[in-house]
Amino acid sequence: MHATLRPGDPPLSRSVEDYLKAIYHLSSQGGFASTSDIAAMLEVAPPSVSGMVKRLSETGLIEHVPYRGVQLSPQGRRAALRMIRRHRILELYLTQQLDYDWDGVHAEAERLEHAVSDELIERMAGSLGQPRYDPHGDPIPTAAGEIEEADLVTIADAAVGAKLELRQVGTQDSARLRYFATQGLTPGVLLTVADRQPFNGPTTIALVPSGDRRVLGRELARLLLCSEVPVQEHGHADR
Amino acid sequence: MHATLRPGDPPLSRSVEDYLKAIYHLSSQGGFASTSDIAAMLEVAPPSVSGMVKRLSETGLIEHVPYRGVQLSPQGRRAALRMIRRHRILELYLTQQLDYDWDGVHAEAERLEHAVSDELIERMAGSLGQPRYDPHGDPIPTAAGEIEEADLVTIADAAVGAKLELRQVGTQDSARLRYFATQGLTPGVLLTVADRQPFNGPTTIALVPSGDRRVLGRELARLLLCSEVPVQEHGHADR
DNA sequence: TCTGCAGATTAGGCTAATCTAATCTGGACG
DNA sequence: CGTCCAGATTAGATTAGCCTAATCTGCAGA
Ligand SMILES: [Mn+2]
Ligand SMILES: [Mn+2]
Ligand SMILES: [Mn+2]
Ligand SMILES: [Mn+2]
């Protein structure tokens, strides 16, 4: 009964859908997404963004403050979350049911997300058991448009000595994803922060329970998003 | 090593892919596909077809004889068969793995066929066991671009007394497909032609082995494509 | 052979989405 | 307080696809 996208509305184009997703990602932390950031994310020229921004604000999907940036309207946010749900369910389906590696699914989902029906997405979600996270640990929005907001720390920021659970891998870059996989750094892994060198130096972590160590430069450490695990013997994590 | 589509070529647009498929289907029997038949099949206006025909013949995908029609070039035929392979594998995958009914898969495949990668299609084909027929009995072209050409008779044309195997259902119309399903008329079924009334009257068939009878008007009888089964006791059909 | 017309094409126009080149502007900084 | 410039926007062009209205043409029938 909530006022989602009316079925009568003309469907959004592939471009529009990708713009809305980009704006969602860029404005999820701070307030506004800038023209040049959108342009960089979508690999188009800045004037193309200005043109699209005009159309999107005319149709009420975004708010535009000239020379400052854009934000999603409630309607635009719903549309963006719908695309993100599709994208993440597709990624998970490809890895779980069709034996894709986690570094290959993004490109495929990027195209399919625009072509699948809601029906197909819900069937996939059903056959996956209504999953909550995609292969990279990103939360899957519900069909109703809710998304989990976890506050996570990167391994680059976590305190030395902290015990962490790796939750999300914040990149779609194939080479980096493959490297993380070889290092056993995938969502769900437990670890402790053993050391950090000064002046933006590398962080050393120890995997739990194996105790294996990994040394991560700042670039990679910033991509690994973790939740803190209370350090208590024989305790149960509450998730 | 066969001279298929070079990877360097710019990818074909969704429209172009649908035009090539339409031309393939329309010219598969006779020689030329007419402008108005293409327009009807794609639900566009005839001048839109004339415009596309010009572009397609400039890029060498079709041959155009003005005021007569178009035919696929070898390159266009390869592209069309590639799309048909995608379409039919998608249809089968949706029915087999995601519990779609055979009357719902066409619309979904019509969009997805343009968005999937070759990689994904081959993974689906692999998980289906390299299938040869789609849910409607239509042959699936090979990845190399070969397609089975069976010569089939419609139930409207078959001789009274003939023993037949139902092979293909020549429609994508949901209502008709659902009706056929309720009547047990799906590919693989054996039947004999029991009677045909004159003046384009209905054909009565008997299902084998149940003996159940069905009476089919000419419109529906023409949609059911069959191969003849040699009438011999205890014999094995050679397929 | 001539005529008419169904079907094909051309003419002209529109929208979405992109680009490059030119211009504008908000805010940082001297 | 004024300048400057990175970043944003406007101006103008292009391409693919689609449309309607006007025109053309092959061929069937008189
Ligand atoms: Mn996309
Ligand atoms: Mn992901
Ligand atoms: Mn299609
Ligand atoms: Mn089919």
Side-chain angles (χ1 to χ4, degrees):
Chain A
M1 201 53 41
H2 44 104
T4 355
L5 309 174
R6 279 79 42 109
D9 294 339
L12 305 177
S13 71
R14 179 185 170 154
S15 280
V16 166
E17 289 174 340
D18 280 337
Y19 273 89
L20 294 176
K21 270 201 316 172
I23 293 166
Y24 177 90
H25 290 308
L26 290 168
S27 60
S28 63
Q29 318 293 350
F32 287 84
S34 75
T35 298
S36 48
D37 286 352
I38 298 168
M41 183 167 289
L42 297 177
E43 298 181 282
V44 297
S48 305
V49 176
S50 288
M52 180 62 87
V53 157
K54 182 180 306 181
R55 268 170 278 149
L56 293 180
S57 45
E58 279 163 1
T59 51
L61 291 162
I62 63 174
E63 313 286 347
H64 180 213
V65 182
Y67 291 98
R68 289 188 43 88
V70 298
Q71 271 183 322
L72 293 175
S73 71
Q75 191 194 145
R77 184 185 149 87
R78 277 194 303 273
L81 285 168
R82 174 165 167 270
M83 295 312 296
I84 290 167
R85 173 172 172 82
R86 291 166 162 241
H87 185 102
R88 291 181 181 170
I89 287 172
L90 283 162
E91 285 190 343
L92 192 67
Y93 189 88
L94 294 171
T95 56
Q96 303 264 295
Q97 307 286 336
L98 286 162
D99 204 35
Y100 269 71
D101 293 319
W102 77 340
D103 62 292
V105 289
H106 181 73
E108 193 83 46
E110 197 56 56
R111 279 174 285 105
L112 288 171
E113 62 189 0
H114 310 287
V116 292
S117 65
D118 287 337
E119 157 104 13
L120 176 51
I121 284 296
E122 297 317 321
R123 279 182 193 259
M124 287 180 170
S127 94
L128 293 166
Q130 304 298 340
R132 303 183 52 198
Y133 303 95
D134 87 354
H136 313 101
D138 294 301
I140 297 174
T142 66
E146 324 256 300
I147 187 170
E148 175 191 308
E149 312 264 357
D151 69 331
L152 303 177
V153 277
T154 76
I155 284 182
D157 299 327
V160 172
K163 183 169 181 187
L164 305 174
E165 181 183 347
L166 177 55
R167 297 292 215 89
Q168 294 181 19
V169 178
T171 183
Q172 299 294 349
D173 178 71
S174 283
R176 289 173 179 75
L177 288 173
R178 277 197 300 273
Y179 178 73
F180 285 138
T182 67
Q183 302 298 299
L185 295 171
T186 53
V189 160
L190 297 177
L191 55 94
T192 58
V193 179
D195 177 66
R196 181 172 303 111
Q197 292 297 313
F199 303 111
N200 302 318
T203 301
T204 301
I205 60 179
L207 302 187
V208 174
S210 71
D212 292 353
R213 297 193 157 222
R214 305 280 185 260
V215 184
L216 295 160
R218 189 168 172 78
E219 177 191 336
L220 293 188
R222 285 165 46 89
L223 299 176
L224 298 174
L225 302 172
C226 302
S227 57
E228 314 232 9
V229 176
V231 190
Q232 59 185 72
E233 296 298 306
H234 309 297
H236 295 273
D238 63 359
R239 170 181 112 80
Chain B
M1 199 56 36
H2 44 102
T4 355
L5 311 173
R6 280 78 42 108
D9 295 340
L12 304 177
S13 72
R14 179 184 169 154
S15 279
V16 166
E17 289 174 341
D18 281 337
Y19 272 89
L20 293 176
K21 269 201 317 173
I23 294 166
Y24 177 90
H25 290 307
L26 290 168
S27 60
S28 63
Q29 318 294 350
F32 287 84
S34 76
T35 296
S36 48
D37 285 351
I38 298 168
M41 183 167 288
L42 297 178
E43 298 182 282
V44 296
S48 304
V49 175
S50 288
M52 179 63 87
V53 156
K54 183 183 304 182
R55 270 171 276 149
L56 293 180
S57 45
E58 278 163 3
T59 51
L61 290 162
I62 63 173
E63 314 285 346
H64 180 212
V65 181
Y67 292 99
R68 289 189 41 89
V70 299
Q71 271 184 322
L72 294 175
S73 71
Q75 191 195 145
R77 185 185 148 87
R78 276 194 304 271
L81 285 169
R82 174 165 166 269
M83 296 312 296
I84 291 167
R85 174 172 172 81
R86 294 166 159 240
H87 186 102
R88 292 181 180 169
I89 287 171
L90 283 162
E91 285 190 343
L92 192 66
Y93 189 89
L94 294 171
T95 55
Q96 302 264 295
Q97 308 285 336
L98 286 162
D99 204 35
Y100 270 70
D101 293 319
W102 77 338
D103 62 293
V105 290
H106 181 73
E108 193 83 48
E110 197 57 55
R111 280 174 286 104
L112 288 171
E113 62 189 1
H114 311 287
V116 292
S117 66
D118 287 337
E119 158 102 14
L120 177 50
I121 284 297
E122 297 317 321
R123 279 183 194 259
M124 287 181 170
S127 95
L128 293 167
Q130 305 298 340
R132 302 183 54 195
Y133 302 95
D134 87 355
H136 314 100
D138 294 300
I140 297 173
T142 66
E146 325 256 299
I147 188 170
E148 176 190 308
E149 313 264 358
D151 68 331
L152 303 176
V153 277
T154 75
I155 284 183
D157 300 324
V160 172
K163 183 170 181 188
L164 304 174
E165 180 183 347
L166 177 55
R167 297 292 216 91
Q168 295 181 19
V169 179
T171 182
Q172 300 293 350
D173 177 72
S174 283
R176 288 173 180 75
L177 287 172
R178 278 196 299 275
Y179 177 73
F180 286 138
T182 66
Q183 301 299 299
L185 295 171
T186 53
V189 159
L190 297 177
L191 56 92
T192 57
V193 180
D195 177 67
R196 180 171 303 111
Q197 293 297 312
F199 303 111
N200 302 318
T203 301
T204 301
I205 61 178
L207 302 187
V208 174
S210 72
D212 292 353
R213 296 196 159 221
R214 305 281 184 261
V215 184
L216 295 160
R218 188 168 172 77
E219 177 192 334
L220 295 188
R222 283 166 46 91
L223 298 175
L224 299 174
L225 303 171
C226 301
S227 57
E228 314 232 9
V229 176
V231 190
Q232 60 183 73
E233 295 298 307
H234 309 298
H236 295 272
D238 62 0
R239 170 183 115 77

